[in-house]
């Protein structure tokens, strides 16, 4: 039995989390959930959106499944998601982008692994105003963090039988910061001659991914490019409703959907639970419950292929609950 923290999250979070927890239970997952509150519910109680005790709990268990948390745009409190990743040193954000059976997509046979550095770059939160007319954000790139994420990408490539790692950058313009990222990845790549290494400028990559995503395999990127490019890749395979992710550190891992709290869909019961479900599958694989993970995936794929109770974002007329029931029915 594994113990894991469960944060249901904001907006559509509680609806999709309930569906996912029921599916895992039905599949026989050996997980004891410890529910914790973060995000808007904490703000309403005058607390930090990612309270210290929640961080301590995740750190003690080493494992969490997290629903999306809302971050106000341009004002208000700092992102609880970014704070969590930094506080727990969850330095690698792993975002696979693959087609799912029966889900309409812009491209077929996409199989990309996005490895995003998760602790620094423009997300370090170092920004200030310069008088009333300007504002400055610091893009922090360090050699240790860049080498660490490169190690993760190459080790992942070897463990999962991948062929190539591409370093993504804009070192033609940001010669020092992105230059250091590129140099660090290249230094690590030399240690892994069995994996092909190359590099690509981020704007060119975006165009190439839309035209020929099959030219890429594992992508390793600084934080901001990783965030943007992984949404693009989610768009290639069916949208944000189907894209999972893992935030992984030395001893702790937090799994979540790539998407946010989608406030305009909240409370309607129609949100797609697949992204969080696939994140839960990553969690199961992480704690070596491969058999249960396989069972969940098989039932999900069958449900998708038979287009049973699909949520509206996938063109169906089902809802979160009926879709979850259709998956459980196949177990
Ligand atoms: P979003 O990902 O929440 O939603 C964008 C659009 O994608 C939605 O309007 C909806 O049409 C679609 N969508 C997303 N998830 C879906 C699902 N499960 N089922 C069906 N449709 C889905 O992005 P947005 O609107 O930019 O952000 C809303 C809030 O979420 C913001 O406060 C943002 O900061 C936060 N956020 C949190 C994340 C996290 O907790 N890791 C990640 C991204 C955003």
């Amino acid at each position: 039995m594994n113990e894991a923290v469960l944060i249901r999250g904001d907006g559509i979070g509680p609806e999709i989390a309930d569906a996912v927890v029921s599916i895992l239970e039905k599949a026989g997952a050996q997980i004891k959930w410890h529910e914790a509150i973060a995000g808007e519910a904490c703000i309403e109680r005058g607390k930090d959106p990612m309270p210290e005790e929640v961080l301590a709990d995740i750190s003690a268990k080493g494992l969490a499944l997290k629903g999306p948390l809302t971050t106000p745009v341009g004002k208000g409190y700092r992102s609880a998601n970014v704070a969590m990743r930094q506080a727990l040193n969850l330095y690698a954000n792993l975002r696979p982008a693959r087609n799912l059976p029966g889900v309409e997509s812009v491209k077929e046979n996409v199989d990309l692994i996005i490895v995003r550095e998760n602790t620094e770059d423009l997300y370090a939160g170092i920004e200030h105003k310069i008088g009333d007319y300007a504002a400055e954000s610091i893009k922090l790139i360090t050699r240790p963090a860049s080498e660490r994420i490169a190690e993760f990408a190459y080790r992942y490539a070897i463990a999962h039988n991948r062929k190539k790692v591409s370093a993504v950058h804009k070192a033609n313009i940001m010669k020092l910061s992105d230059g250091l990222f590129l140099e660090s990845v290249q230094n690590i790549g030399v240690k892994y001659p069995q994996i092909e290494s190359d590099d690509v400028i981020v704007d060119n990559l975006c165009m190439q991914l839309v035209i020929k995503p099959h030219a890429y395999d594992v992508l390793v990127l600084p934080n901001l490019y990783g965030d943007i490019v992984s949404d693009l890749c989610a768009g290639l395979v069916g949208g944000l409703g189907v894209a999972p992710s893992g935030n992984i550190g030395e001893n702790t891992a937090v799994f979540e959907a790539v998407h946010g709290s989608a406030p305009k869909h909240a409370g309607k019961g129609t949100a797609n639970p697949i992204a969080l479900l696939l994140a839960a599958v990553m969690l199961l694989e992480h704690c070596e419950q491969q058999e249960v993970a396989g069972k969940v995936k098989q039932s999900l794929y069958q449900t998708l292929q038979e287009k049973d109770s699909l949520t509206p974002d996938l063109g169906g007329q089902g809802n979160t609950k009926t879709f979850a029931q259709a998956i459980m029915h196949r177990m």
Side-chain angles (χ1 to χ4, degrees), residues 12 66-71 81 85 240-241 256-265 271-272 313:
I12 59 170
K66 187 184 97 31
L69 299 175
T70 298
T71 310
N81 302 306
R85 293 166 191 162
L240 282 174
E256 61 180 336
V258 167
H259 65 72
S261 54
K264 65 178 182 214
H265 296 275
N272 185 346
D313 61 307

Side-chain angles (χ1 to χ4, degrees), residues 49-184:
M50 185 51 75
E52 282 295 328
E53 63 268 22
V54 175
L55 291 172
D57 206 14
I58 299 175
S59 190
K61 309 273 182 318
L63 196 62
L65 182 68
K66 187 184 97 31
L69 299 175
T70 298
T71 310
V73 176
K75 57 180 167 44
Y77 57 90
R78 205 175 155 231
S79 164
N81 302 306
V82 174
M84 177 198 71
R85 293 166 191 162
Q86 287 170 346
L88 298 175
N89 209 5
L90 304 173
Y91 68 87
N93 189 195
L94 186 61
R95 295 182 166 190
R98 295 189 184 99
N99 298 98
L100 289 170
V103 174
E104 260 183 51
S105 58
V106 179
K107 292 279 168 185
E108 292 302 323
N109 303 317
V110 175
D111 184 6
L112 291 160
I113 301 294
I114 291 106
V115 177
R116 163 190 173 196
E117 203 291 321
N118 221 9
T119 62
E120 54 181 36
D121 192 6
L122 280 158
Y123 288 42
I126 314 168
E127 55 177 7
H128 55 264
K129 284 212 156 178
I130 305 170
D132 210 23
Y133 73 99
E136 187 174 47
S137 299
I138 306 288
K139 179 178 163 87
L140 178 72
I141 300 280
T142 67
R143 190 182 296 279
S146 304
E147 289 188 348
R148 183 173 62 171
I149 197 69
E151 276 285 355
F152 183 96
Y154 279 95
R155 284 193 193 153
Y156 181 96
I158 286 170
H160 295 85
N161 210 13
R162 312 293 297 212
K163 302 284 174 268
K164 182 167 85 164
V165 172
S166 306
V168 183
H169 61 88
K170 187 85 186 170
N172 51 333
I173 305 296
M174 283 161 279
K175 294 178 195 294
L176 298 185
S177 53
D178 278 18
L180 178 58
F181 181 82
L182 175 59
E183 183 193 318
S184 304

